[in-house]
Amino acid sequence: MMRRVGLALALAALLCATDVFAAVKFGPYLQSLAPDRVRVCVSCDQEDRFEARLTSPQGEQSIVALDGHDPACADFSGLEPDLTYRYELLLEGKPQETSGSFVADSTEQLSLVIFGDTRSGDNSFDLDHRRVAQAISRSVLPDAIVHTGDFVERGNDPALWANFFQIESQVLADAPLYPSIGRSDQPGVMIRRLFGLLNTNGWYSFDRGPAHFAVLNLWQSRSQDSDQTAADGAQATCLRADLAAARAAGARYLFVVMHQPAFDLEGRSPRAMREVYMPLFQSFGVDAVFSGAHYFSHALREGVHYFTNGGGGAQLVTENPAEGLFLFHGAMHHFLALQIDRAGARVSAMDADGDPFYEVQIQGTAQRAQEPGASNYVETFGSGARSAALTVFFEPGCDDCQELQSRLPQIAQRLDATLVATFRSLDDPDNLALLRSHSDGQAAAPAVLVDDQTLLGLEQIDMLLDEQLARSLERGGARESRSSGRLVAAAAATTGAFALLAAIILSRRKRSAR
């Protein structure tokens, strides 16, 4: 109780937004707790006297009193996708000048901004942070925002958080923000108070339109608790369950967000990343991973795109990376724009003036699986609570390969598990090289890769596949997820996608109610 009072008093001493009555210190900002539920939050002096009024496109209104916390929040539920809702703050029943609008969720299209390492707290950082925020406001009208961590210089300083919200006020009033925890955001008391999505253990997942996002609590794995980093820890266990559920739901794209990059400029990966998480990303066919570092880079590993995008305002790291490590690297302040529509998914890197300088096209495996002769696709078998991933290498027209595929549902039922199988055709040179790297140069089909064990030929698969899958299930499912109910399904996979330099200005989504 004393901690809550202390935080409220500290925040009460701040002055922020200048275009509202003095009772509002910063905000409003939005959080999306579910596809049909949005939370409006504001830091204010007289929380019990504030209300939020929501107006639907049809003109229907609902008024909810803000709770007694600081920040004070009001939840609106039962919202419909693809509609623009407007809201405003009321103080003692009188409208304030602070208002905004948002789309609760999208169905076929998604416009989302991803950035991080804003590090509010240093005047020079704030100047660049403000440039990035203004560029976002001018060039993209996002449905939502993802922050890859390191919001502020010192995570326990309320003045720095108020500064962050003031700089981002124009964007955050109209798009819900999905946070991940960074190293400089520690200790995590304030960031968890500001963002309800982080209130449990710091990891969660969410769905926006055709995409599913898993947000991890990885900011410096070597100094974090084993529950967050170990293969049998709660976070990895939860992630396996989430990715399996996403696969079973059959959504089109799957993305992962975390602060710690998968590898540094020398190509080194932290142990937890190398031994636990990157194999999970590959096994479950994650499309792309977004993380923070003070530069921009793009790499492609085993069909997974890795973006480092920590150019939100903090001082840039200008060292050159190891030769051949990245497909693209540059030290500039920037943000990423992720757009998904019926034509596919595009990740565009935008500089601090809002101009695009790099673009990557991503096509989810779920889409390719529907195409004749698809060389890479994902299938899910069974519906058990435990889950395991395997990679199946096949050759078109291979009778043994078809026989294996017909047996996988029986194996899933026998093990009472969900099996997520990524099928890779050996006609693809990259797939052939992948199999050889795991099998001492051999490449017989069918072949199955489970964790680090490779089974070659149907005879070996018949003898050992059940045993290998059972071991994988035991390692991955021995500890029941403590928050699996918060991890919602949806997503898809990726392999092959290409990067090409482009100068495509993102079109702004038109919202009729604005």
Side-chain angles (χ1 to χ4, degrees), residues 250-474:
R252 291 164 57 193
Y253 298 96
L254 177 62
F255 303 107
V256 171
V257 178
M258 59 189 181
H259 180 68
Q260 185 171 37
F263 29 77
D264 62 19
L265 290 172
E266 296 297 323
R268 298 180 297 251
S269 296
R271 181 176 179 180
M273 201 70 63
R274 184 176 64 252
E275 298 182 0
V276 179
Y277 288 98
M278 292 179 70
L280 279 176
F281 303 155
Q282 177 189 340
S283 296
F284 285 94
V286 168
D287 285 277
V289 176
F290 301 95
S291 57
H294 297 196
Y295 53 85
F296 169 75
S297 69
H298 169 230
L300 184 62
R301 297 287 186 277
E302 308 292 0
V304 181
H305 294 271
Y306 290 90
F307 297 96
T308 51
N309 50 276
Q315 183 176 359
L316 297 170
V317 174
T318 57
E319 286 85 354
N320 292 323
E323 186 175 354
L325 180 60
F326 299 122
L327 296 173
F328 187 94
H329 170 270
M332 71 280 286
H333 291 107
H334 68 281
F335 63 94
L336 301 185
L338 170 63
Q339 289 195 321
I340 300 176
D341 53 30
R342 293 181 179 179
R346 299 173 300 283
V347 176
S348 298
M350 318 281 284
D351 64 23
D353 293 320
D355 296 323
F357 61 88
Y358 186 72
E359 181 172 284
V360 178
Q361 297 283 107
I362 296 177
Q363 185 181 23
T365 302
Q367 290 176 289
R368 291 194 301 273
Q370 300 172 5
E371 300 172 359
S375 61
N376 300 283
Y377 60 94
V378 173
E379 288 193 8
T380 303
F381 306 96
S383 57
R386 301 181 304 162
S387 60
L390 62 153
T391 301
V392 178
F393 297 90
F394 70 95
E395 292 176 344
C398 167
D399 292 338
D400 285 348
C401 303
Q402 297 175 12
E403 174 67 18
L404 170 61
Q405 187 165 4
S406 68
R407 294 184 188 182
L408 287 174
Q410 303 168 14
I411 296 174
Q413 184 177 9
R414 187 160 60 245
L415 295 174
D416 189 24
T418 300
L419 301 182
V420 179
T422 301
F423 289 84
R424 296 177 180 267
S425 171
L426 293 181
D427 283 354
D428 186 318
D430 291 337
N431 294 339
L432 182 61
L434 176 62
L435 174 58
R436 286 175 172 167
S437 70
H438 285 280
S439 59
D440 297 327
Q442 302 180 62
V448 173
L449 176 63
V450 181
D451 294 334
D452 290 327
Q453 301 298 317
T454 305
L455 307 177
L456 296 170
L458 191 59
E459 182 177 351
Q460 194 175 63
I461 291 170
D462 281 342
M463 291 177 57
L464 299 175
L465 181 56
D466 280 51
E467 178 183 342
Q468 295 298 336
L469 286 171
R471 290 179 180 175
S472 182
L473 289 167
E474 183 178 355

Side-chain angles (χ1 to χ4, degrees), residues 165-199:
F165 282 106
Q166 191 276 331
I167 292 174
E168 293 286 340
S169 60
Q170 188 172 356
V171 177
L172 296 184
D174 294 326
L177 187 148
Y178 296 95
S180 58
I181 299 176
R183 180 180 178 183
S184 73
D185 301 324
Q186 308 300 319
V189 176
M190 288 200 66
I191 191 172
R192 292 170 189 267
R193 184 179 295 276
L194 290 165
F195 302 109
L197 291 168
L198 300 172
N199 271 345

Side-chain angles (χ1 to χ4, degrees), residues 52-305:
R53 178 165 60 193
L54 186 74
T55 304
S56 72
Q58 295 78 23
E60 300 172 350
Q61 295 188 348
S62 58
I63 297 177
V64 175
L66 274 65
D67 58 34
H69 303 113
D70 195 357
C73 301
D75 290 355
F76 294 94
S77 58
L79 307 179
E80 298 183 28
D82 302 316
L83 298 179
T84 300
Y85 292 85
R86 298 191 61 83
Y87 69 91
E88 58 185 336
L89 293 180
L90 307 177
L91 178 59
E92 296 182 340
K94 298 179 181 179
Q96 303 294 284
E97 296 178 20
T98 304
S99 62
S101 61
F102 62 87
V103 174
D105 192 20
S106 304
T107 51
E108 290 299 320
Q109 298 188 54
L110 173 66
S111 176
L112 189 143
V113 162
I114 306 170
F115 73 128
D117 289 278
T118 46
R119 298 287 287 272
S120 286
D122 182 289
N123 289 336
S124 59
F125 293 179
D126 287 345
L127 290 175
D128 290 315
H129 177 195
R130 192 178 298 277
R131 284 186 63 209
V132 173
Q134 291 172 345
I136 294 172
S137 179
R138 288 194 308 268
S139 58
V140 183
L141 190 64
D143 300 321
I145 298 170
V146 171
H147 198 293
T148 56
D150 277 8
F151 286 78
V152 295
E153 277 284 272
R154 296 177 299 279
N156 61 350
D157 190 333
L160 301 187
W161 282 104
N163 192 49
F164 167 82
F165 282 106
Q166 191 276 331
I167 292 174
E168 293 286 340
S169 60
Q170 188 172 356
V171 177
L172 296 184
D174 294 326
L177 187 148
Y178 296 95
S180 58
I181 299 176
R183 180 180 178 183
S184 73
D185 301 324
Q186 308 300 319
V189 176
M190 288 200 66
I191 191 172
R192 292 170 189 267
R193 184 179 295 276
L194 290 165
F195 302 109
L197 291 168
L198 300 172
N199 271 345
T200 53
N201 42 39
W203 62 81
Y204 63 97
S205 67
F206 66 92
D207 299 298
R208 294 291 303 193
H212 177 78
F213 296 79
V215 181
L216 302 182
N217 183 4
L218 285 172
W219 43 273
Q220 190 181 43
S221 57
R222 69 175 180 271
S223 62
Q224 291 183 249
D225 189 88
S226 61
D227 218 32
Q228 300 168 357
T229 60
D232 62 348
Q235 180 164 223
T237 301
C238 222
L239 180 62
R240 290 186 187 92
D242 182 57
L243 298 181
R247 282 279 166 253
R252 291 164 57 193
Y253 298 96
L254 177 62
F255 303 107
V256 171
V257 178
M258 59 189 181
H259 180 68
Q260 185 171 37
F263 29 77
D264 62 19
L265 290 172
E266 296 297 323
R268 298 180 297 251
S269 296
R271 181 176 179 180
M273 201 70 63
R274 184 176 64 252
E275 298 182 0
V276 179
Y277 288 98
M278 292 179 70
L280 279 176
F281 303 155
Q282 177 189 340
S283 296
F284 285 94
V286 168
D287 285 277
V289 176
F290 301 95
S291 57
H294 297 196
Y295 53 85
F296 169 75
S297 69
H298 169 230
L300 184 62
R301 297 287 186 277
E302 308 292 0
V304 181
H305 294 271

